[in-house]
Amino acid sequence: MTGKRKYDDGCAVAHGLDLIGERWALLVVRELLLGPKRFTDLRAGLSGASSDVLTQRLRELTRSGITRRRKLAPPAGSWVYELTDWGMELEPIVTQLGRWSSRSPALQTDAKIGADSLVLSFRALFDPRAAGDLTATVALRLHEQEFGVRIADGVLDVSRGPVERPHVVISTDPDTLSELLHDGRQLSEALRAGDAHVEGSSQVAEHFLTLFPLPVPAPLPADA
C-alpha cells in the first residue's frame, strides 16, 4: 500500500480506518455483502466512482485480505469480486453505521439509492414488533435485479437472487420502493401509475412496506 495515507497509530480503530477508510472502500464492501459481483456490476452500483478509483480500492481491499477475486465455474466463467470470511465480518458494522446515520437530520431521503444499498438498509431498519407474527417470503424485482426477503419469528433475512414460492412479488425500481417505504407514497397510487406491480398477496405487500421505518432524527444543538 505504498503511497497510501495512513494514521500510523497503534489504535485498532485507526488501523481499521487504514483498511477501509479510503473513499469508496466501505461502499465496495456494502456492494459485496449480498454476494459476489463482476467489476461492471460494481461500477453500476457505485456510479460516482471512476474505473481507476474502483480498481485501486479493490486492489487495496484484496491486499488487506478483505476481498478476493475468483473465476466462476462454467458456463458463466466470469471473474467476480467477493468478500472473504473476514471481510464478511464487516456486515454488522455496515448495518449499524446505516442505522446510526439514518438518524442524521441531514439525511437526504429523496436522493437516489442503489438496489443493494436499499435492500441492505432493511437489516438496519427492520422493526420486529411491526412484523408481529408475520411469516412471509417477498421477492423484489428492482429493474433487472432480484432479491429475496424472508421474515419469520421476528427475524429478517435478505439475499440476492430469485426465491422459490414467494408469497408476493413486488416489481418496481429502487426510487419508487424508497418512496413507498419512507416518503409516505401509497402502494395503490404507485400501482395505478404503473410504477409498481404486485403478484400474489397484496396484504403481505402492504404489511411488508411498514416494517422499515426511519428512526427519529437526532436533535441538532440549539445553537447549530
Side-chain angles (χ1 to χ4, degrees):
M1 297 187 190
T2 305
K4 182 181 175 183
R5 293 174 295 179
K6 299 181 70 174
Y7 288 100
D8 292 322
D9 189 314
C11 170
V13 174
H15 180 62
L17 290 174
D18 283 339
L19 297 174
I20 58 171
E22 288 290 310
R23 184 170 171 82
W24 300 108
L26 196 56
L27 295 185
V28 170
V29 172
R30 180 199 70 190
E31 290 295 306
L32 296 176
L33 282 172
L34 292 177
K37 279 190 171 185
R38 298 173 300 172
F39 184 86
T40 53
D41 296 326
L42 283 168
R43 281 280 289 126
L46 300 169
S47 58
S50 69
S51 293
D52 288 346
V53 168
L54 182 56
T55 297
Q56 181 64 26
R57 292 294 89 82
L58 286 165
R59 184 180 297 120
E60 292 164 356
L61 290 168
T62 298
R63 286 175 179 169
S64 298
I66 297 168
T67 62
R68 61 177 163 239
R69 185 170 179 256
R70 69 177 173 90
K71 192 172 186 179
L72 295 177
S78 303
W79 285 96
V80 295
Y81 291 90
E82 64 185 0
L83 294 172
T84 62
D85 290 345
W86 183 50
M88 282 298 298
E89 292 180 22
L90 283 163
E91 191 274 335
I93 297 171
V94 174
T95 297
Q96 187 56 36
L97 178 61
R99 176 73 184 179
W100 174 79
S101 60
S102 68
R103 294 198 65 212
S104 168
L107 179 67
Q108 293 180 269
T109 58
D110 59 345
K112 284 193 172 295
I113 188 168
D116 276 59
S117 180
L118 182 58
V119 173
L120 282 169
S121 76
F122 295 168
R123 292 178 176 173
L125 301 175
F126 177 62
D127 183 354
R129 293 171 298 179
D133 60 359
L134 175 67
T135 297
T137 298
V138 178
L140 294 175
R141 294 175 181 166
L142 304 178
H143 290 319
E144 297 179 355
Q145 300 187 64
E146 293 188 55
F147 301 88
V149 183
R150 299 170 182 83
I151 301 164
D153 300 321
V155 177
L156 173 105
D157 178 68
V158 297
S159 60
R160 185 189 293 122
V163 292
E164 295 183 358
R165 297 186 295 277
H167 295 87
V168 64
V169 179
I170 302 175
S171 302
T172 185
D173 60 85
D175 290 338
T176 297
L177 183 56
S178 182
E179 292 171 357
L180 293 169
L181 290 166
H182 305 309
D183 294 339
R185 188 174 185 185
Q186 297 299 305
L187 179 59
S188 57
E189 188 277 325
L191 294 173
R192 287 195 301 271
D195 294 332
H197 180 71
V198 170
E199 303 171 42
S201 172
S202 58
Q203 184 176 4
V204 170
E206 292 278 6
H207 193 175
F208 171 76
L209 294 171
T210 69
L211 303 183
F212 311 98
L214 290 173
V216 176
L220 287 171
D223 57 352

